[in-house]
Amino acid sequence: MEIGIIGSGHIGGTLTRRLRSLGHDVAVANSRGPESLADLAAETGARAVSVEDAVQGAELVVIAIPLKAVPQLPAALFDGKLVVDANNYYPQRDGDIPELLDRSLSSSRWTADHLKGARVVKVLNNIQAAHLMDEGKPAGTSGRIALPVAADDADAKRTVMGLVDELGFDPVDAGTLDESWRQQPDTPVYGTDRDADGVREGLAAARP
């Protein structure tokens, strides 16, 4: 696939490495500009580009940036795009966002509201970057880590679940974007490396 990754931190950098190793064409961007990504591009063979170029040429765009930076993205470019939202809301970093503090909105719904027309899929937000890098296993492996996948668009969810499997993890349908609060920080599935049954149990046990 042609994949754009916005963000080159722990998750964005790890995904650049993993997806390139699987043979995907990856363009990576960040807020500091392509020149700051020269080492990552040289290491992986990914293309270091502007945010606009990462979005325009992609079949799928991963967003792995501080949540507070989402409103600064060029929203119109995301219209119709399949967008993987790997972000989390951390008040100490992102500041007070009232509808997220009181959980009247999931952070992915908030993101989708800013990126009107995007087909947003929530995934990769609950796994540590080191485990995303090193803990992928072939399908059918006992104890394979599972990742919850939430979206409103069934086709987008199906595509992303396939990518999760390719990365070495069991995808678990976690419902809609409005239900994705069940995989946010401070829930049973956040950072806990459960298998598929464990993820389903954790999602069901989550409380607002």
Side-chain angles (χ1 to χ4, degrees):
M1 294 177 72
E2 298 272 350
I3 296 176
I5 298 177
I6 301 175
S8 58
H10 294 307
I11 294 295
T14 296
L15 282 172
T16 299
R17 294 176 175 92
R18 288 295 322 277
L19 292 168
R20 279 295 299 140
S21 74
L22 293 169
H24 295 284
D25 185 353
V26 175
V28 60
N30 65 14
S31 60
R32 298 183 301 281
E35 62 282 351
S36 70
L37 297 166
D39 289 347
L40 182 61
E43 174 195 342
T44 61
R47 291 175 291 116
V49 300
S50 67
V51 169
E52 288 78 8
D53 286 343
V55 178
Q56 284 178 324
E59 299 169 69
L60 179 152
V61 182
V62 178
I63 299 176
I65 60 177
L67 194 77
K68 64 183 177 182
V70 167
Q72 298 161 28
L73 293 172
L77 291 183
F78 289 85
D79 188 20
K81 292 287 185 181
L82 198 173
V83 174
V84 167
D85 173 17
N87 292 345
N88 287 304
Y89 174 50
Y90 300 115
Q92 66 273 23
R93 178 195 66 189
D94 299 312
D96 291 349
I97 302 175
E99 58 267 48
L100 300 184
L101 278 172
D102 68 13
R103 295 207 177 198
S104 59
L105 277 186
S106 70
S107 65
S108 282
R109 175 62 66 200
W110 184 86
T111 295
D113 285 347
H114 282 284
L115 304 178
K116 293 292 188 187
R119 303 157 65 211
V120 176
V121 180
K122 182 71 163 188
V123 69
L124 300 169
N125 71 297
N126 73 309
I127 185 170
Q128 296 176 40
H131 295 186
L132 178 60
M133 187 71 198
D134 298 327
E135 300 298 328
K137 301 288 190 298
T141 302
S142 178
R144 193 187 199 207
I145 295 172
L147 299 178
V149 185
D152 297 339
D153 185 307
D155 288 338
K157 184 186 288 185
R158 192 175 305 113
T159 297
V160 173
M161 289 177 86
L163 193 63
V164 168
D165 182 51
E166 191 181 354
L167 285 165
F169 305 95
D170 281 339
V172 171
D173 192 328
T176 66
L177 286 186
D178 288 330
E179 294 173 282
S180 66
W181 63 267
R182 295 178 180 274
Q183 65 197 74
Q184 291 179 175
D186 302 319
T187 62
V189 302
Y190 182 76
T192 52
D193 292 343
R194 295 173 176 232
D195 64 10
D197 287 340
V199 166
R200 294 185 188 98
E201 290 168 4
L203 292 170
R207 295 292 178 265

